[in-house]
Coordinates of all heavy atoms in Angstrom, one line a residue:
M5 N -24.3 -59.7 -32.5 CA -24.0 -59.2 -31.2 C -23.7 -57.7 -31.4 O -22.8 -57.4 -32.2 CB -22.9 -60.0 -30.6 CG -22.8 -59.5 -29.2 SD -21.6 -60.3 -28.1 CE -21.0 -61.7 -28.6
T6 N -24.2 -56.9 -30.5 CA -24.0 -55.5 -30.6 C -22.9 -55.1 -29.5 O -22.8 -55.7 -28.5 CB -25.2 -54.7 -30.3 OG1 -25.7 -55.0 -29.0 CG2 -26.3 -55.0 -31.4
K7 N -22.2 -54.1 -29.8 CA -21.2 -53.6 -28.9 C -21.8 -52.7 -27.8 O -22.7 -51.9 -28.1 CB -20.2 -52.7 -29.8 CG -19.0 -52.3 -29.0 CD -18.0 -51.6 -30.0 CE -16.8 -51.2 -29.2 NZ -15.9 -50.4 -30.0
P8 N -21.4 -52.9 -26.5 CA -22.0 -52.1 -25.5 C -21.7 -50.6 -25.7 O -20.6 -50.2 -26.1 CB -21.4 -52.7 -24.2 CG -20.2 -53.4 -24.6 CD -20.4 -53.8 -26.1
L9 N -22.6 -49.8 -25.2 CA -22.5 -48.3 -25.3 C -21.5 -47.9 -24.2 O -21.7 -48.1 -23.0 CB -23.9 -47.7 -25.1 CG -23.8 -46.2 -25.2 CD1 -23.4 -45.7 -26.6 CD2 -25.2 -45.6 -24.9
T10 N -20.5 -47.2 -24.6 CA -19.5 -46.6 -23.7 C -19.4 -45.1 -24.0 O -19.5 -44.7 -25.1 CB -18.1 -47.3 -23.8 OG1 -17.7 -47.1 -25.1 CG2 -18.2 -48.8 -23.5
L11 N -19.1 -44.4 -22.9 CA -18.9 -43.0 -23.0 C -17.4 -42.7 -23.4 O -16.5 -43.5 -23.0 CB -19.2 -42.3 -21.7 CG -20.7 -42.4 -21.3 CD1 -20.9 -41.8 -19.9 CD2 -21.6 -41.7 -22.3
P12 N -17.1 -41.6 -24.0 CA -15.7 -41.2 -24.3 C -15.0 -40.9 -23.0 O -15.7 -40.6 -22.0 CB -15.9 -40.0 -25.1 CG -17.3 -39.9 -25.6 CD -18.1 -40.7 -24.7
P13 N -13.7 -41.1 -22.9 CA -13.0 -40.9 -21.7 C -13.2 -39.5 -21.0 O -13.3 -39.4 -19.8 CB -11.5 -41.0 -22.1 CG -11.5 -41.7 -23.4 CD -12.8 -41.4 -24.0
K14 N -13.4 -38.4 -21.8 CA -13.6 -37.1 -21.2 C -14.9 -37.1 -20.5 O -15.1 -36.5 -19.4 CB -13.5 -36.0 -22.2 CG -13.6 -34.7 -21.7 CD -12.8 -33.7 -22.5 CE -12.9 -32.3 -22.0 NZ -12.0 -32.0 -21.0
A15 N -15.9 -37.7 -21.1 CA -17.3 -37.7 -20.5 C -17.3 -38.5 -19.1 O -17.9 -38.1 -18.2 CB -18.3 -38.3 -21.4
K16 N -16.5 -39.6 -19.1 CA -16.5 -40.3 -17.8 C -15.8 -39.5 -16.7 O -16.2 -39.5 -15.6 CB -15.6 -41.6 -18.0 CG -16.3 -42.7 -18.7 CD -15.5 -43.9 -18.8 CE -16.2 -45.0 -19.6 NZ -15.3 -46.2 -19.7
S17 N -14.8 -38.7 -17.1 CA -14.1 -37.9 -16.1 C -15.1 -36.8 -15.6 O -15.1 -36.5 -14.4 CB -12.9 -37.2 -16.8 OG -12.3 -36.3 -15.9
N18 N -15.9 -36.2 -16.5 CA -16.8 -35.2 -16.0 C -17.9 -35.8 -15.1 O -18.3 -35.1 -14.1 CB -17.5 -34.5 -17.2 CG -16.5 -33.6 -18.0 OD1 -15.5 -33.2 -17.4 ND2 -16.8 -33.4 -19.2
I19 N -18.3 -37.0 -15.3 CA -19.3 -37.6 -14.5 C -18.7 -37.8 -13.1 O -19.4 -37.6 -12.1 CB -19.8 -38.9 -15.1 CG1 -20.7 -38.6 -16.4 CG2 -20.7 -39.7 -14.1 CD1 -21.1 -39.8 -17.2
R20 N -17.5 -38.3 -13.0 CA -16.9 -38.6 -11.7 C -16.7 -37.3 -11.0 O -16.9 -37.2 -9.8 CB -15.6 -39.3 -11.9 CG -15.7 -40.7 -12.3 CD -14.5 -41.5 -12.1 NE -14.7 -42.9 -12.3 CZ -13.8 -43.7 -12.8 NH1 -12.6 -43.3 -12.9 NH2 -14.1 -45.0 -13.0
T21 N -16.3 -36.3 -11.6 CA -16.1 -35.0 -11.0 C -17.4 -34.5 -10.4 O -17.5 -34.0 -9.2 CB -15.5 -33.9 -11.9 OG1 -14.3 -34.5 -12.5 CG2 -15.3 -32.6 -11.3
R22 N -18.4 -34.6 -11.2 CA -19.8 -34.1 -10.7 C -20.2 -35.0 -9.5 O -20.9 -34.5 -8.6 CB -20.8 -34.2 -11.9 CG -22.1 -33.6 -11.5 CD -23.1 -33.6 -12.7 NE -23.3 -35.0 -13.2 CZ -23.4 -35.3 -14.4 NH1 -23.3 -34.4 -15.4 NH2 -23.6 -36.6 -14.8
D23 N -19.9 -36.3 -9.5 CA -20.3 -37.2 -8.5 C -19.7 -36.8 -7.1 O -20.3 -37.0 -6.1 CB -20.0 -38.6 -8.8 CG -20.8 -39.2 -9.8 OD1 -21.9 -38.6 -10.1 OD2 -20.5 -40.3 -10.4
Y24 N -18.6 -36.1 -7.1 CA -17.9 -35.7 -5.9 C -18.2 -34.2 -5.6 O -18.3 -33.9 -4.4 CB -16.4 -35.9 -6.0 CG -16.0 -37.4 -6.0 CD1 -15.5 -37.9 -7.2 CD2 -16.2 -38.2 -4.9 CE1 -15.1 -39.3 -7.3 CE2 -15.8 -39.5 -5.0 CZ -15.3 -40.1 -6.1 OH -15.0 -41.4 -6.2
I25 N -18.2 -33.4 -6.5 CA -18.4 -32.0 -6.3 C -19.8 -31.6 -5.8 O -19.9 -30.8 -4.8 CB -18.1 -31.1 -7.6 CG1 -16.6 -31.3 -8.0 CG2 -18.4 -29.7 -7.4 CD1 -15.6 -30.8 -7.0
V26 N -20.8 -32.2 -6.3 CA -22.2 -31.9 -5.9 C -22.5 -32.2 -4.5 O -22.9 -31.4 -3.7 CB -23.2 -32.5 -6.9 CG1 -24.6 -32.3 -6.4 CG2 -23.1 -31.9 -8.3
P27 N -22.2 -33.5 -4.0 CA -22.4 -33.8 -2.6 C -21.5 -32.9 -1.7 O -22.0 -32.5 -0.6 CB -22.0 -35.2 -2.5 CG -22.1 -35.8 -3.8 CD -21.8 -34.7 -4.8
A28 N -20.3 -32.6 -2.1 CA -19.4 -31.7 -1.3 C -20.0 -30.3 -1.1 O -20.0 -29.7 -0.1 CB -18.0 -31.7 -1.9
A29 N -20.5 -29.8 -2.2 CA -21.1 -28.5 -2.2 C -22.4 -28.5 -1.3 O -22.6 -27.5 -0.5 CB -21.5 -28.0 -3.6
V30 N -23.2 -29.5 -1.4 CA -24.4 -29.6 -0.5 C -24.0 -29.7 0.9 O -24.6 -29.0 1.8 CB -25.3 -30.8 -1.0 CG1 -26.4 -31.0 0.0 CG2 -25.8 -30.5 -2.4
A31 N -23.0 -30.5 1.2 CA -22.6 -30.7 2.6 C -22.0 -29.3 3.2 O -22.3 -29.0 4.3 CB -21.5 -31.8 2.7
L32 N -21.3 -28.6 2.3 CA -20.7 -27.4 2.8 C -21.8 -26.3 3.0 O -21.7 -25.5 4.0 CB -19.7 -26.9 1.7 CG -18.9 -25.6 2.1 CD1 -18.1 -25.9 3.3 CD2 -18.1 -25.2 0.9
A33 N -22.8 -26.3 2.2 CA -23.9 -25.4 2.3 C -24.7 -25.6 3.6 O -25.2 -24.7 4.2 CB -24.8 -25.4 1.1
C34 N -24.8 -26.9 4.0 CA -25.7 -27.3 5.1 C -24.9 -27.3 6.4 O -25.5 -27.5 7.5 CB -26.3 -28.7 4.9 SG -27.5 -28.6 3.5
A35 N -23.6 -27.2 6.4 CA -22.8 -27.3 7.6 C -22.9 -26.1 8.5 O -23.0 -25.0 8.1 CB -21.3 -27.5 7.2
G36 N -23.0 -26.4 9.8 CA -23.1 -25.4 10.8 C -21.7 -25.2 11.4 O -20.8 -25.9 11.2
A37 N -21.7 -24.2 12.3 CA -20.4 -23.9 13.0 C -20.2 -25.0 14.0 O -21.1 -25.4 14.7 CB -20.5 -22.5 13.6
A38 N -18.9 -25.4 14.2 CA -18.5 -26.3 15.2 C -17.9 -25.6 16.4 O -16.9 -24.8 16.2 CB -17.6 -27.4 14.6
Y39 N -18.3 -25.8 17.6 CA -17.7 -25.2 18.8 C -17.0 -26.3 19.6 O -17.6 -26.8 20.6 CB -18.8 -24.5 19.6 CG -19.6 -23.4 18.8 CD1 -20.8 -23.7 18.3 CD2 -18.9 -22.2 18.5 CE1 -21.5 -22.7 17.5 CE2 -19.6 -21.3 17.8 CZ -20.8 -21.5 17.3 OH -21.5 -20.5 16.6
A40 N -15.8 -26.6 19.2 CA -15.1 -27.7 19.8 C -14.6 -27.3 21.2 O -14.5 -28.2 22.1 CB -13.9 -28.2 19.0
G41 N -14.3 -26.1 21.4 CA -13.7 -25.7 22.7 C -14.7 -25.4 23.8 O -14.4 -25.3 25.0
A42 N -16.0 -25.4 23.5 CA -17.0 -25.1 24.5 C -17.5 -26.3 25.3 O -18.1 -26.1 26.3 CB -18.2 -24.5 23.8
D43 N -17.3 -27.5 24.8 CA -17.7 -28.7 25.5 C -16.8 -29.1 26.6 O -15.6 -29.2 26.4 CB -17.9 -29.8 24.5 CG -18.6 -31.0 25.1 OD1 -19.3 -30.9 26.1 OD2 -18.4 -32.1 24.6
T44 N -17.3 -29.4 27.8 CA -16.4 -29.8 28.9 C -16.8 -31.2 29.4 O -16.6 -31.5 30.6 CB -16.5 -28.8 30.0 OG1 -17.8 -28.7 30.5 CG2 -15.9 -27.5 29.6
T45 N -17.5 -32.0 28.6 CA -18.0 -33.3 29.0 C -16.9 -34.2 29.5 O -17.0 -34.9 30.5 CB -18.8 -33.9 27.8 OG1 -19.8 -33.0 27.4 CG2 -19.4 -35.2 28.2
F46 N -15.8 -34.3 28.7 CA -14.8 -35.2 29.0 C -13.6 -34.7 29.8 O -12.5 -35.3 29.9 CB -14.3 -35.9 27.7 CG -15.4 -36.7 27.0 CD1 -16.0 -36.2 25.9 CD2 -15.8 -37.9 27.5 CE1 -17.0 -36.9 25.2 CE2 -16.8 -38.6 26.9 CZ -17.4 -38.1 25.8
D47 N -13.7 -33.5 30.3 CA -12.6 -32.9 31.0 C -12.2 -33.7 32.2 O -11.0 -33.9 32.5 CB -13.0 -31.4 31.5 CG -12.7 -30.4 30.4 OD1 -12.2 -30.8 29.3 OD2 -13.1 -29.3 30.5
P48 N -13.1 -34.2 33.1 CA -12.6 -35.1 34.2 C -11.9 -36.3 33.7 O -10.9 -36.7 34.3 CB -13.9 -35.4 34.9 CG -14.9 -34.4 34.5 CD -14.6 -34.0 33.1
A49 N -12.4 -37.0 32.7 CA -11.7 -38.2 32.2 C -10.3 -37.8 31.6 O -9.3 -38.5 31.9 CB -12.5 -38.9 31.2
L50 N -10.2 -36.7 30.9 CA -8.9 -36.3 30.4 C -8.0 -35.9 31.5 O -6.8 -36.3 31.4 CB -9.1 -35.0 29.5 CG -7.9 -34.4 28.9 CD1 -7.2 -35.3 28.0 CD2 -8.2 -33.1 28.2
Q51 N -8.4 -35.3 32.5 CA -7.6 -35.0 33.6 C -7.0 -36.2 34.3 O -5.9 -36.3 34.7 CB -8.3 -34.1 34.6 CG -7.4 -33.5 35.7 CD -6.3 -32.7 35.2 OE1 -6.5 -31.9 34.3 NE2 -5.1 -32.9 35.7
K52 N -7.9 -37.2 34.6 CA -7.5 -38.5 35.2 C -6.5 -39.2 34.3 O -5.5 -39.7 34.8 CB -8.7 -39.4 35.4 CG -9.6 -39.0 36.5 CD -9.2 -39.6 37.7 CE -10.3 -39.3 38.8 NZ -9.9 -39.6 40.1
F53 N -6.7 -39.3 33.0 CA -5.8 -40.0 32.1 C -4.5 -39.2 32.1 O -3.4 -39.9 32.1 CB -6.4 -40.1 30.7 CG -5.7 -41.0 29.8 CD1 -5.6 -42.3 30.0 CD2 -5.0 -40.4 28.7 CE1 -4.9 -43.2 29.2 CE2 -4.3 -41.2 27.9 CZ -4.2 -42.6 28.1
T54 N -4.5 -37.9 32.0 CA -3.2 -37.1 32.0 C -2.5 -37.3 33.3 O -1.2 -37.6 33.2 CB -3.6 -35.7 31.8 OG1 -4.3 -35.5 30.6 CG2 -2.3 -34.8 31.7
D55 N -3.1 -37.3 34.4 CA -2.5 -37.5 35.7 C -1.9 -38.9 35.8 O -0.8 -39.1 36.3 CB -3.4 -37.4 36.9 CG -3.9 -35.9 37.0 OD1 -3.2 -35.0 36.5 OD2 -4.9 -35.7 37.7
F56 N -2.6 -39.9 35.2 CA -2.1 -41.3 35.2 C -0.8 -41.4 34.4 O 0.2 -42.0 34.8 CB -3.2 -42.2 34.7 CG -2.7 -43.6 34.4 CD1 -2.5 -44.5 35.5 CD2 -2.4 -44.1 33.2 CE1 -2.1 -45.8 35.3 CE2 -2.0 -45.4 33.0 CZ -1.8 -46.3 34.1
L57 N -0.8 -40.8 33.2 CA 0.4 -41.0 32.3 C 1.6 -40.2 32.9 O 2.7 -40.6 32.7 CB 0.1 -40.5 30.9 CG -0.8 -41.5 30.1 CD1 -1.0 -40.9 28.7 CD2 0.0 -42.8 29.9
E58 N 1.3 -39.0 33.5 CA 2.4 -38.2 34.0 C 2.9 -38.7 35.3 O 4.0 -38.4 35.8 CB 2.0 -36.8 34.1 CG 1.8 -36.1 32.8 CD 1.3 -34.6 32.9 OE1 0.8 -34.3 34.0 OE2 1.5 -33.9 32.0
G59 N 2.2 -39.6 36.0 CA 2.5 -40.1 37.3 C 3.0 -41.5 37.2 O 3.9 -41.9 36.4
S60 N 2.4 -42.4 38.1 CA 2.9 -43.7 38.2 C 2.6 -44.6 37.0 O 3.3 -45.5 36.7 CB 2.2 -44.4 39.4 OG 0.8 -44.4 39.3
G61 N 1.5 -44.3 36.3 CA 1.2 -45.0 35.0 C 2.3 -44.9 34.0 O 2.6 -45.8 33.3
G62 N 2.8 -43.7 33.8 CA 3.9 -43.5 32.9 C 5.2 -44.2 33.3 O 5.9 -44.8 32.4
K63 N 5.4 -44.3 34.6 CA 6.6 -45.0 35.0 C 6.4 -46.5 34.8 O 7.3 -47.2 34.4 CB 6.8 -44.8 36.5 CG 7.3 -43.4 36.8 CD 7.4 -43.1 38.3 CE 7.7 -41.7 38.5 NZ 7.7 -41.3 40.0
I64 N 5.2 -47.0 35.0 CA 4.9 -48.5 34.8 C 5.1 -48.8 33.3 O 5.7 -49.8 33.0 CB 3.5 -48.8 35.3 CG1 3.5 -48.7 36.8 CG2 3.1 -50.2 34.8 CD1 2.1 -48.9 37.4
I65 N 4.5 -48.0 32.5 CA 4.6 -48.2 31.0 C 6.1 -48.2 30.6 O 6.5 -49.1 29.8 CB 3.8 -47.1 30.2 CG1 2.3 -47.3 30.5 CG2 4.1 -47.2 28.7 CD1 1.5 -46.2 30.0
T66 N 6.9 -47.3 31.1 CA 8.3 -47.2 30.7 C 9.0 -48.5 31.2 O 9.8 -49.0 30.5 CB 8.9 -46.0 31.3 OG1 8.2 -44.8 30.8 CG2 10.4 -45.8 30.9
V67 N 8.8 -48.9 32.5 CA 9.5 -50.1 33.0 C 9.1 -51.3 32.2 O 9.9 -52.2 31.9 CB 9.2 -50.2 34.5 CG1 9.6 -51.6 35.0 CG2 9.8 -49.1 35.3
L68 N 7.8 -51.5 31.9 CA 7.4 -52.6 31.1 C 8.0 -52.6 29.7 O 8.4 -53.7 29.2 CB 5.8 -52.6 31.0 CG 5.1 -53.0 32.2 CD1 3.6 -52.9 32.0 CD2 5.4 -54.4 32.7
S69 N 8.1 -51.5 29.1 CA 8.8 -51.4 27.8 C 10.3 -51.7 27.9 O 10.8 -52.5 27.1 CB 8.6 -50.0 27.3 OG 9.3 -49.8 26.0
L70 N 10.9 -51.3 29.0 CA 12.3 -51.6 29.2 C 12.5 -53.1 29.4 O 13.4 -53.7 28.9 CB 12.9 -50.8 30.4 CG 14.3 -51.0 30.7 CD1 15.2 -50.7 29.5 CD2 14.7 -50.2 31.9
A71 N 11.6 -53.7 30.2 CA 11.6 -55.1 30.5 C 11.5 -55.9 29.2 O 12.2 -56.9 28.9 CB 10.5 -55.5 31.5
G72 N 10.6 -55.5 28.3 CA 10.4 -56.1 27.0 C 11.6 -56.1 26.2 O 12.0 -57.0 25.5
G73 N 12.3 -54.9 26.2 CA 13.6 -54.8 25.5 C 14.7 -55.7 26.0 O 15.4 -56.3 25.3
L74 N 14.7 -55.8 27.4 CA 15.8 -56.7 28.0 C 15.5 -58.1 27.7 O 16.4 -58.9 27.4 CB 15.8 -56.4 29.5 CG 16.3 -55.1 29.9 CD1 16.2 -54.9 31.4 CD2 17.8 -54.9 29.5
I75 N 14.2 -58.5 27.7 CA 13.9 -59.9 27.3 C 14.3 -60.2 25.9 O 14.8 -61.3 25.6 CB 12.4 -60.2 27.6 CG1 12.1 -60.2 29.1 CG2 11.9 -61.5 26.9 CD1 10.6 -60.2 29.4
A76 N 14.0 -59.2 25.0 CA 14.4 -59.4 23.6 C 15.9 -59.5 23.4 O 16.5 -60.3 22.7 CB 13.9 -58.3 22.7
L77 N 16.7 -58.7 24.2 CA 18.1 -58.8 24.2 C 18.6 -60.2 24.7 O 19.6 -60.7 24.2 CB 18.7 -57.7 25.1 CG 18.8 -56.3 24.4 CD1 19.3 -55.3 25.5 CD2 19.7 -56.3 23.2
A78 N 17.9 -60.7 25.7 CA 18.4 -62.0 26.3 C 18.1 -63.1 25.3 O 18.6 -64.2 25.5 CB 17.6 -62.2 27.6
S79 N 17.2 -62.9 24.4 CA 16.9 -64.0 23.4 C 18.0 -64.2 22.4 O 18.0 -65.2 21.7 CB 15.6 -63.7 22.7 OG 15.8 -62.6 21.8
G80 N 19.0 -63.4 22.4 CA 20.2 -63.6 21.6 C 20.3 -62.8 20.4 O 21.3 -62.8 19.7
R81 N 19.3 -62.1 20.0 CA 19.4 -61.2 18.8 C 19.4 -59.8 19.3 O 18.6 -59.4 20.1 CB 18.3 -61.5 17.9 CG 17.0 -61.4 18.4 CD 15.9 -61.7 17.4 NE 14.6 -61.7 18.0 CZ 13.8 -60.6 18.2 NH1 14.3 -59.4 17.9 NH2 12.7 -60.6 18.8
F82 N 20.4 -59.0 18.8 CA 20.5 -57.6 19.2 C 20.0 -56.7 18.0 O 20.3 -56.9 16.9 CB 21.9 -57.2 19.5 CG 22.1 -55.8 19.9 CD1 21.7 -55.3 21.1 CD2 22.6 -54.9 19.0 CE1 21.8 -54.0 21.4 CE2 22.7 -53.5 19.3 CZ 22.3 -53.1 20.5
A83 N 19.2 -55.8 18.4 CA 18.7 -54.8 17.4 C 18.7 -53.4 18.2 O 18.4 -53.4 19.4 CB 17.4 -55.1 16.9
L84 N 19.0 -52.4 17.5 CA 19.0 -51.1 18.1 C 17.6 -50.7 18.6 O 17.5 -50.0 19.6 CB 19.4 -50.0 17.1 CG 19.6 -48.6 17.6 CD1 20.6 -48.6 18.7 CD2 20.0 -47.7 16.4
G85 N 16.5 -51.2 18.0 CA 15.2 -50.9 18.4 C 14.9 -51.4 19.8 O 14.0 -50.8 20.5
Q86 N 15.6 -52.4 20.2 CA 15.3 -53.0 21.6 C 15.8 -52.0 22.7 O 15.3 -52.1 23.8 CB 16.0 -54.3 21.7 CG 15.5 -55.4 20.8 CD 16.4 -56.6 20.7 OE1 17.5 -56.6 21.2 NE2 15.9 -57.6 20.1
V87 N 16.7 -51.1 22.3 CA 17.1 -50.1 23.3 C 16.4 -48.8 23.0 O 16.0 -48.1 23.9 CB 18.7 -49.9 23.1 CG1 19.2 -48.8 24.0 CG2 19.4 -51.2 23.4
A88 N 16.2 -48.5 21.7 CA 15.6 -47.2 21.4 C 14.1 -47.1 21.7 O 13.7 -46.0 22.1 CB 15.8 -46.9 19.9
V89 N 13.4 -48.2 21.6 CA 12.0 -48.1 21.9 C 11.7 -47.8 23.4 O 10.9 -46.9 23.6 CB 11.3 -49.4 21.4 CG1 9.9 -49.5 22.0 CG2 11.3 -49.5 19.9
P90 N 12.3 -48.5 24.3 CA 12.1 -48.1 25.7 C 12.5 -46.6 26.0 O 11.8 -45.9 26.8 CB 12.9 -49.0 26.5 CG 13.1 -50.2 25.7 CD 13.1 -49.7 24.3
V91 N 13.6 -46.2 25.4 CA 14.0 -44.8 25.6 C 12.9 -43.8 25.0 O 12.5 -42.9 25.7 CB 15.4 -44.5 25.0 CG1 15.7 -43.1 25.0 CG2 16.4 -45.3 25.8
G92 N 12.5 -44.2 23.9 CA 11.4 -43.3 23.2 C 10.1 -43.3 24.0 O 9.4 -42.3 24.1
V93 N 9.7 -44.5 24.5 CA 8.5 -44.6 25.3 C 8.7 -43.7 26.6 O 7.7 -43.0 27.0 CB 8.2 -46.0 25.7 CG1 7.1 -46.1 26.8 CG2 7.8 -46.8 24.5
G94 N 9.8 -43.8 27.2 CA 10.0 -43.0 28.4 C 10.0 -41.5 28.2 O 9.3 -40.7 28.9
I95 N 10.6 -41.1 27.1 CA 10.6 -39.7 26.7 C 9.1 -39.3 26.3 O 8.7 -38.2 26.7 CB 11.6 -39.4 25.6 CG1 13.0 -39.5 26.1 CG2 11.4 -38.0 25.0 CD1 14.0 -39.5 25.0
G96 N 8.5 -40.1 25.5 CA 7.1 -39.8 25.1 C 6.1 -39.7 26.2 O 5.3 -38.8 26.3
V97 N 6.2 -40.6 27.2 CA 5.3 -40.6 28.3 C 5.6 -39.4 29.2 O 4.7 -38.7 29.7 CB 5.4 -41.9 29.1 CG1 4.6 -41.8 30.4 CG2 4.8 -43.0 28.3
G98 N 6.9 -39.1 29.4 CA 7.3 -38.0 30.3 C 7.0 -36.6 29.7 O 6.6 -35.7 30.4
T99 N 7.3 -36.4 28.4 CA 7.1 -35.1 27.8 C 6.0 -35.0 26.8 O 5.6 -33.9 26.4 CB 8.4 -34.6 27.2 OG1 8.7 -35.5 26.2 CG2 9.5 -34.5 28.2
G100 N 5.5 -36.1 26.3 CA 4.5 -36.1 25.2 C 3.2 -35.6 25.6 O 2.5 -34.9 24.9
V101 N 2.7 -35.9 26.8 CA 1.4 -35.6 27.3 C 1.3 -34.0 27.4 O 0.3 -33.5 26.8 CB 1.0 -36.2 28.6 CG1 -0.3 -35.7 29.1 CG2 1.0 -37.7 28.4
P102 N 2.2 -33.3 28.0 CA 2.1 -31.9 28.0 C 2.1 -31.2 26.7 O 1.5 -30.2 26.4 CB 3.2 -31.4 28.9 CG 3.6 -32.6 29.7 CD 3.3 -33.8 28.9
I103 N 3.0 -31.8 25.8 CA 3.1 -31.2 24.4 C 1.8 -31.4 23.7 O 1.3 -30.4 23.1 CB 4.3 -31.9 23.7 CG1 5.6 -31.5 24.3 CG2 4.3 -31.5 22.2 CD1 6.8 -32.2 23.8
V104 N 1.2 -32.6 23.7 CA 0.0 -32.8 23.0 C -1.1 -32.0 23.6 O -1.9 -31.4 22.8 CB -0.4 -34.3 23.0 CG1 -1.8 -34.6 22.5 CG2 0.6 -35.1 22.2
T105 N -1.2 -31.9 24.9 CA -2.2 -31.1 25.5 C -2.1 -29.6 25.1 O -3.1 -29.0 24.8 CB -2.2 -31.2 27.0 OG1 -2.2 -32.6 27.4 CG2 -3.3 -30.5 27.7
S106 N -0.9 -29.1 25.1 CA -0.8 -27.7 24.7 C -1.1 -27.4 23.3 O -1.6 -26.4 22.9 CB 0.6 -27.2 25.1 OG 1.6 -27.9 24.3
V107 N -0.7 -28.4 22.4 CA -1.0 -28.3 21.0 C -2.5 -28.3 20.7 O -3.1 -27.5 20.0 CB -0.3 -29.4 20.1 CG1 -0.9 -29.4 18.7 CG2 1.2 -29.1 20.1
V108 N -3.2 -29.2 21.4 CA -4.7 -29.3 21.2 C -5.4 -28.1 21.8 O -6.3 -27.5 21.2 CB -5.2 -30.6 21.9 CG1 -6.7 -30.6 22.0 CG2 -4.7 -31.8 21.1
T109 N -4.9 -27.6 22.9 CA -5.5 -26.4 23.5 C -5.2 -25.2 22.6 O -6.1 -24.3 22.4 CB -4.9 -26.1 24.9 OG1 -5.1 -27.3 25.7 CG2 -5.5 -25.0 25.6
A110 N -4.0 -25.1 22.0 CA -3.7 -23.9 21.2 C -4.5 -24.0 19.9 O -4.9 -22.9 19.4 CB -2.2 -23.9 20.9
T111 N -4.8 -25.2 19.4 CA -5.5 -25.3 18.1 C -7.0 -25.0 18.3 O -7.6 -24.3 17.5 CB -5.4 -26.7 17.6 OG1 -4.0 -27.0 17.4 CG2 -6.1 -26.9 16.3
I112 N -7.6 -25.5 19.4 CA -9.0 -25.2 19.7 C -9.2 -23.8 20.1 O -10.0 -23.0 19.7 CB -9.5 -26.2 20.7 CG1 -9.5 -27.6 20.2 CG2 -10.9 -25.8 21.2 CD1 -9.9 -28.6 21.2

């Protein structure tokens, strides 16, 4: 029985590096410019969703989260997360949407 042919450890490392570097270089050479800020296809949907979260939808989500925390408290086991999660949801819904929108707008 013959022993299978294996490459030395350094040669295996070079093959793996080449397997990643060559496709990455080809992809980089063929890549075109991306114009993310020029597309307005989803602006109406984004506006509706933002209005929903900042308005009555955000209030509903906060109340449902608070109700879930109260139900968990009534079950007899107390955890800080049962109070902290509804507070975090309320803060996130109230202030998170404008923050995320401004960050995305500033980045693009």
Side-chain angles (χ1 to χ4, degrees):
M5 184 177 346
T6 62
K7 188 175 181 183
L9 179 63
T10 59
L11 296 174
K14 185 153 180 83
K16 284 184 182 179
S17 174
N18 289 339
I19 291 173
R20 285 196 176 154
T21 304
R22 186 178 59 220
D23 287 345
Y24 292 111
I25 297 295
V26 172
V30 170
L32 186 62
C34 296
Y39 301 103
D43 187 26
T44 60
T45 305
F46 296 107
D47 279 351
L50 175 65
Q51 189 60 42
K52 287 269 188 196
F53 190 68
T54 302
D55 291 344
F56 173 76
L57 284 179
E58 289 179 342
S60 60
K63 293 176 186 172
I64 291 171
I65 292 170
T66 304
V67 168
L68 289 175
S69 178
L70 182 59
L74 291 175
I75 290 170
L77 281 174
S79 71
R81 55 181 174 84
F82 178 77
L84 185 60
Q86 296 165 349
V87 177
V89 169
V91 171
V93 168
I95 292 171
V97 169
T99 61
V101 175
I103 291 171
V104 170
T105 304
S106 65
V107 167
V108 169
T109 304
T111 303
I112 293 175

